[in-house]
Amino acid sequence: MVCVGTDLVDIDDIRGLLARRPAFAERHFTAREREYCLRATDPAERFAVRFAAKEAVLKAFGTGLRGAALHEIEVVRADSGQPALLLAGRAVALAEAAGVRSWLITLTHSRHLAHALVAGLSEE
């Protein structure tokens, strides 16, 4: 393991952002993420946990939010439901510089909080 990051997000904060700024989802989430989140009765939970994952990745890199655009970090799901990360743009360059070849990711949320933990691994 070469890096680790975690983040906790208040779901009500994300719900409010989605209501006040509809462009928030388009700016920070990929089309695939938006499609998945919007299938839920309460999309805020899915958006919040993905936002937490994106911030956790940037924390793992040690860059904070300026390291890469959030839409360059995508949370995808296997058919089994297991989450995974796909990186693009500057996020790929940060992973390469850190020696990250693969990721472990876990996501969870309650009614109020969404949490993500990521670990960057040096080998597949």
Side-chain angles (χ1 to χ4, degrees):
M1 182 173 18
V2 294
C3 60
V4 66
T6 186
D7 196 58
L8 186 66
V9 172
D10 185 296
I11 295 171
D12 284 338
D13 288 348
I14 297 297
R15 189 176 289 113
L17 273 172
L18 292 166
R20 286 189 315 274
R21 297 183 189 156
F24 171 79
E26 289 182 24
R27 182 173 182 203
H28 298 300
F29 298 91
T30 66
R32 188 170 23 192
E33 286 174 315
R34 291 190 309 271
E35 188 273 326
Y36 173 76
C37 293
L38 292 171
R39 280 190 263 148
T41 303
D42 182 7
E45 294 172 350
R46 290 180 174 182
F47 279 118
V49 79
R50 279 156 182 75
F51 191 83
K54 293 165 185 272
E55 287 199 340
V57 168
L58 294 175
K59 288 178 180 180
F61 291 145
T63 64
L65 289 177
R66 292 187 300 242
L70 293 180
H71 67 266
E72 294 177 332
I73 303 164
E74 181 178 16
V75 178
V76 296
R77 289 172 43 102
D79 290 338
S80 66
Q82 180 179 4
L85 293 169
L86 294 178
L87 304 183
R90 287 186 300 171
V92 171
L94 289 169
E96 288 174 354
V100 174
R101 302 291 175 254
S102 64
W103 293 93
L104 297 175
I105 175 173
T106 185
L107 308 173
T108 190
H109 61 79
S110 66
R111 282 192 326 211
H112 303 289
L113 297 172
H115 177 260
L117 175 69
V118 302
L121 306 176
S122 61
E123 296 183 19
E124 294 288 332

